[in-house]
Amino acid sequence: MTWRDTIQPLWSLARGRPVMAVFEICLRCNSRCGYCDLPLNQGRYEMSREEIREIFTDLYRDGLRYLFVQGGEPLVRRDTLDVLDDLAGIGFGLCLVTNGTKLTPAVVDRLAAVGASVSVSLDTLDRDIYRLIRGADQLPRVLNGIAALEDYPHPKFIACIVSDKNRADVEAVCAFARDKGFAPVLGAYHWDVGKYGKTDDTLTFSREQAARTFDAMLDGDLLPPGYYRGFARDNADWLRGKKLGRCDAGRYSIVIDASGNVAPCLAMPHAGNLRESSLADILGGFDRPAIEACSNASSCNLLCGRLVGRNLRQPFTALATPMKVSPRA
């Protein structure tokens, strides 16, 4: 690691420039989740492995350092593991966000080799409810994928989106995660909020009822300390209409889709394409007043725009966050 590798992200933070990105590596998926409004499986252009390597080499020089790689379902793309090899070789820290249906021992070995964290989406352990939420009968495959991660040497998470369909299942999912050595991450179902906010009447809830679900988890010991509990508490506050801390969409974090389009966050429109423009030019085209107004309204509590800034403003909470969670005795 050179001095530039160390100094550049610090310089980016000082200037309010992105150090993290959500990278939607493909816009294809083998699930049909009721809460997802991404325009999936429509044959839109996806950058080649070579284009990704070239563009992200430039982004690394610009100070970007950490990537959440997701889709769609990222492992639907045939060369995703090769792309992760390239990204890790450039120097990025990686977290693969997956529905778990395509995790096999061979895939897990490749992920371990690049040092990637893995986040598996799991909203329920009930097969019928899983099918209703995810639009596909895939729970056995997901559980097999989770089993393949039993001895995974890097951080691993189970992400559970709380909706009306699974409120009663949240405690069981969190206990399952802890027993398997995963850190449970709880988020609230958002509707009418960007691409991940599709309105599904079977999933919408009373906000107070959902907030009480988060309260119950915060009263117990299943959520690890630090950011995990802080994020759950933020969700409860958001559900009750309380103001959250500043959202740093377009400041410390951005979203890059499979075609190279860049947006401040998952809930905002694209402002340019990295195949045609530099990151600096695209950042200059962000609608900063719109981002500020959205932040002031606490419009959402999506991870994409609040992760870096929250940890910077609450360093003691960040330091208390374990990256690896041991199975419960």
Side-chain angles (χ1 to χ4, degrees), residues 34 127-136 165 200 202-203:
R127 188 168 178 175
D128 291 333
I129 295 176
Y130 184 97
R131 177 179 52 80
L132 289 171
I133 294 174
R134 294 279 169 170
K165 281 290 185 190
D200 185 322
T202 69
L203 301 180

Side-chain angles (χ1 to χ4, degrees), residues 29-38 40 99 121 123 130-136 138 189 195-196 198 200 203:
C29 195
N30 57 353
S31 296
R32 297 181 298 279
C33 301
Y35 45 62
C36 178
D37 207 21
L38 277 171
L40 298 169
N99 62 24
S121 300
D123 302 326
Y130 184 97
R131 177 179 52 80
L132 289 171
I133 294 174
R134 294 279 169 170
Q138 296 174 320
Y189 166 49
K195 297 180 291 185
Y196 284 86
K198 180 180 179 181
D200 185 322
L203 301 180

Side-chain angles (χ1 to χ4, degrees), residues 188 190 193-194 196 231 247 265-267 300-307:
H190 291 59
V193 179
Y196 284 86
F231 183 59
C247 176
C265 73
L266 292 166
C300 74
N301 190 39
L302 299 176
L303 273 171
C304 58
R306 296 192 182 273
L307 179 61

Side-chain angles (χ1 to χ4, degrees), residues 57-72:
T57 296
D58 290 340
L59 292 176
Y60 188 86
R61 294 193 189 104
D62 287 335
L64 210 64
R65 287 296 183 271
Y66 198 83
L67 304 175
F68 285 87
V69 181
Q70 58 186 53

Side-chain angles (χ1 to χ4, degrees), residues 17-59:
R17 296 284 295 269
V19 294
M20 185 195 83
V22 174
F23 177 34
E24 298 168 315
I25 193 171
C26 72
L27 293 169
R28 291 169 281 148
C29 195
N30 57 353
S31 296
R32 297 181 298 279
C33 301
Y35 45 62
C36 178
D37 207 21
L38 277 171
L40 298 169
N41 304 323
Q42 295 183 4
R44 292 185 298 158
Y45 181 75
E46 292 178 1
M47 292 185 288
S48 68
R49 178 184 177 185
E50 291 72 23
E51 285 177 308
I52 293 171
R53 184 168 56 234
E54 180 179 349
I55 284 172
F56 278 82
T57 296
D58 290 340
L59 292 176

Side-chain angles (χ1 to χ4, degrees), residues 9-285:
L10 297 176
W11 179 233
S12 293
L13 287 171
R15 293 186 298 159
R17 296 284 295 269
V19 294
M20 185 195 83
V22 174
F23 177 34
E24 298 168 315
I25 193 171
C26 72
L27 293 169
R28 291 169 281 148
C29 195
N30 57 353
S31 296
R32 297 181 298 279
C33 301
Y35 45 62
C36 178
D37 207 21
L38 277 171
L40 298 169
N41 304 323
Q42 295 183 4
R44 292 185 298 158
Y45 181 75
E46 292 178 1
M47 292 185 288
S48 68
R49 178 184 177 185
E50 291 72 23
E51 285 177 308
I52 293 171
R53 184 168 56 234
E54 180 179 349
I55 284 172
F56 278 82
T57 296
D58 290 340
L59 292 176
Y60 188 86
R61 294 193 189 104
D62 287 335
L64 210 64
R65 287 296 183 271
Y66 198 83
L67 304 175
F68 285 87
V69 181
Q70 58 186 53
E73 167 48 45
L75 294 174
V76 167
R77 178 168 168 152
R78 292 183 179 180
D79 65 351
T80 288
L81 296 174
D82 297 324
V83 172
L84 295 181
D85 285 341
D86 294 340
L87 294 173
I90 293 169
F92 286 104
L94 303 171
C95 180
L96 182 77
V97 182
T98 174
N99 62 24
T101 59
K102 290 187 169 292
L103 290 172
T104 65
V107 169
V108 168
D109 286 346
R110 291 282 302 275
L111 294 172
V114 299
S117 303
V118 178
S119 177
V120 181
S121 300
L122 180 67
D123 302 326
T124 179
L125 297 170
D126 183 295
R127 188 168 178 175
D128 291 333
I129 295 176
Y130 184 97
R131 177 179 52 80
L132 289 171
I133 294 174
R134 294 279 169 170
D137 184 14
Q138 296 174 320
L139 182 59
R141 291 174 61 186
V142 177
L143 296 179
N144 287 337
I146 289 172
L149 290 163
E150 179 179 4
D151 298 318
Y152 197 66
H154 307 298
K156 54 185 182 179
F157 314 95
I158 283 180
C160 178
I161 301 299
V162 179
S163 71
D164 196 59
K165 281 290 185 190
N166 71 328
R167 283 189 296 110
D169 302 336
V170 169
E171 183 175 355
V173 171
C174 289
F176 173 81
R178 292 299 303 270
D179 289 343
K180 300 295 183 181
F182 287 74
V185 179
L186 291 185
Y189 166 49
H190 291 59
W191 60 91
D192 289 335
V193 179
K195 297 180 291 185
Y196 284 86
K198 180 180 179 181
T199 300
D200 185 322
D201 291 338
T202 69
L203 301 180
T204 56
F205 44 61
S206 155
R207 292 180 182 269
E208 180 56 34
Q209 284 182 325
R212 288 200 292 269
T213 300
F214 284 89
D215 292 342
M217 297 309 303
L218 287 164
D219 288 341
D221 64 353
L222 289 175
L223 295 181
Y227 187 83
Y228 306 108
R229 297 184 70 84
F231 183 59
R233 192 172 293 108
D234 283 350
N235 273 280
D237 288 345
W238 174 77
L239 287 163
R240 291 189 168 105
K242 296 181 180 179
K243 294 291 185 182
L244 301 177
R246 174 177 177 168
C247 176
D248 293 291
R251 179 183 168 110
Y252 297 132
S253 65
I254 54 175
V255 172
I256 304 168
D257 79 1
S259 302
N261 296 310
V262 179
C265 73
L266 292 166
M268 292 195 144
H270 300 135
N273 189 290
L274 290 166
R275 292 184 290 120
E276 302 164 354
S277 305
S278 69
L279 178 61
D281 287 344
I282 295 172
L283 293 176

